[in-house]
Amino acid sequence: VHEVVVLALDGVVPFDLSTPVEVFGRTRLADGRAPYRVRVCAPAAEVDAGAFTLRVAYGLDVLAEADTVVVPGVADPLRPVPEQVVVGLREAYARGGRLASICAGAFTLAATGLLDGLQATTHWLAADELARRHPAVRVDPDVLFVDHGRLLTSAGAAAGLDLCLHLVRRDFGAAVAADAARVSVMPLEREGGQAQFIVHASPTADGATLAPLLAWMDKHAHEAPSLAELAARAGLSPRTLSRRFREQTGTTPAQWLIVARVRRAQRLLETTDQPVERIASGLSFGAATFRDQFRRRVGTSPNAYRHAFRGAVRDRDGPAHADPRKMAQL
DNA sequence: CCTTCGTTCCGCCATG
DNA sequence: CACATGGCGGAACGAA
């Protein structure tokens, strides 16, 4: 089994802590076996988690056994990191372990110096501060996560889910990751399709064989190309393309296309006044089919979505609370 | 909401 | 022998 150790320091953010516990803990292989063992460790037996206190069963010594160490964010990222934690993380890395931070956990990770010279990310509110305190780290606040193989960082809390699913995908393939995502009711890949994976693809990521096809599919999704057409374009038989597709993306070509088309429909509903019927036909959907698919993926009807979106945009205008200095409530 | 029809998916298996 | 490929056909699914 793959050993996952989650590091709980005082002030740990419960959301960040539970994300890896849940995702890795619930992941199952095709045969039903659990590929990860997840343990939470801390420098002391009790850890302040804000609204409650944790009783932690393991000490920092289990860091030495970790294949993957997950470092969740803490409420006050500026608090100095205990020396023994820094040492433990460095040793885990030196032993070949993988270190992954969620949200403000990047501060803890940066304290080891291992991120120096590398690109990294964290919560957008904290990005400036991270860059200031660790000038050698190249902070990029605009990505969900950054993968350097054995050093990974992720942005705000929810991006921790993306990161964990990404790791599952690296370890056991897209099909297993898609399953884990389904359990979490979370899309395997967010907005922008595979952009996150292409831009920050890890050196060990599995074959980029389908990448060109996926890019083409994103451009031509509105034409609803058939499986036969896609196979011809990829130079594969339909049967082999189906297989490759599931291995690399976790879904089927048809599903992928529908998701891409619905996503494009959302953009059109947000930014244009085109009637729903026109949007539908522009995406090669029949009107009824479009409404049906839209509701199944998004949860509301196209018109309701359009109106809800407009309302939401109206409500959050103005530079209200964009003070990056206020980091109290990460 | 139900029905019909074409397409897609995937286990199975022969083949290279 | 291990392994990837791709055709076949029934079941599931999407389109209309």
Side-chain angles (χ1 to χ4, degrees):
Chain A
V1 287
H2 187 112
E3 296 286 348
V4 176
V5 173
V6 183
L7 175 64
L9 301 178
D10 267 326
V12 65
V13 176
F15 192 106
D16 298 353
L17 177 81
S18 53
T19 297
V21 172
E22 294 296 317
V23 172
F24 293 117
R26 290 185 189 281
T27 296
R28 292 295 178 270
L29 300 181
D31 62 10
R33 303 214 61 81
Y36 297 103
R37 174 160 74 137
V38 184
R39 287 180 290 177
V40 176
C41 81
E46 291 209 340
V47 174
D48 169 25
F52 52 86
T53 301
L54 295 173
R55 273 217 336 262
V56 181
Y58 298 96
L60 294 181
D61 50 306
V62 296
L63 287 175
E65 301 163 22
D67 297 306
T68 298
V69 178
V70 181
V71 185
V74 289
D76 176 13
L78 304 186
R79 169 191 281 204
V81 181
E83 186 57 25
Q84 42 172 348
V85 169
V86 171
V87 170
L89 289 175
R90 283 195 190 129
E91 282 179 1
Y93 184 76
R95 272 173 220 271
R98 191 163 65 178
L99 308 182
S101 73
I102 295 175
C103 196
F107 285 81
T108 311
L109 212 46
T112 64
L114 292 168
L115 291 179
D116 289 353
L118 295 180
Q119 192 189 9
T121 193
T122 186
H123 192 289
W124 61 273
L125 267 177
D128 283 350
E129 188 60 26
L130 181 65
R132 214 158 52 77
R133 292 174 69 96
H134 301 280
V137 178
R138 290 154 47 209
V139 180
D140 181 351
D142 296 323
V143 296
L144 288 177
F145 58 81
V146 179
D147 178 352
H148 284 291
R150 284 173 49 223
L151 287 167
L152 303 92
T153 50
S154 61
L161 259 173
D162 294 277
L163 176 73
C164 291
L165 290 170
H166 172 68
L167 286 174
V168 174
R169 172 203 189 90
R170 265 182 51 187
D171 293 339
F172 300 103
V176 172
D179 256 6
R182 208 168 297 123
V183 171
S184 309
V185 198
M186 159 86 189
L188 216 212
E189 293 178 13
R190 284 214 257 171
E191 197 64 9
Q194 71 285 28
Q196 284 291 334
F197 295 100
I198 287 178
V199 176
H200 305 293
S202 61
T204 51
D206 53 354
T209 336
L210 286 185
L213 180 67
L214 293 177
W216 185 88
M217 284 170 73
D218 263 342
K219 261 198 215 85
H220 296 263
H222 60 102
E223 298 162 16
S226 71
L227 178 66
E229 198 176 335
L230 297 174
R233 186 162 290 275
L236 301 167
S237 72
R239 184 67 187 85
T240 301
L241 176 60
S242 292
R243 238 197 299 262
R244 291 266 92 82
F245 209 92
R246 178 158 292 283
E247 284 165 11
Q248 294 188 36
T249 70
T251 21
T252 70
Q255 292 295 313
W256 179 282
L257 280 173
I258 289 176
V259 170
R261 287 153 81 200
V262 168
R263 207 141 58 193
R264 193 172 300 195
Q266 287 179 276
R267 297 295 86 80
L268 291 172
L269 289 166
E270 291 161 9
T271 60
T272 74
D273 286 315
Q274 288 181 50
V276 171
E277 306 248 327
R278 173 116 56 93
I279 292 177
S281 69
L283 295 168
S284 308
F285 276 124
T289 307
F290 172 60
R291 281 184 241 270
D292 183 46
Q293 290 291 358
F294 193 91
R295 178 171 289 277
R296 284 169 58 182
R297 319 274 159 179
V298 183
T300 28
S301 68
N303 259 312
Y305 178 83
R306 171 175 269 160
H307 290 123
F309 185 83
R310 303 263 152 108
V313 170
R314 228 178 292 112
D315 290 345
R316 64 155 160 73
D317 276 344
H321 43 268
D323 181 3
R325 296 294 145 204
K326 298 214 162 180
M327 298 183 29
Q329 309 209 9
L330 286 188

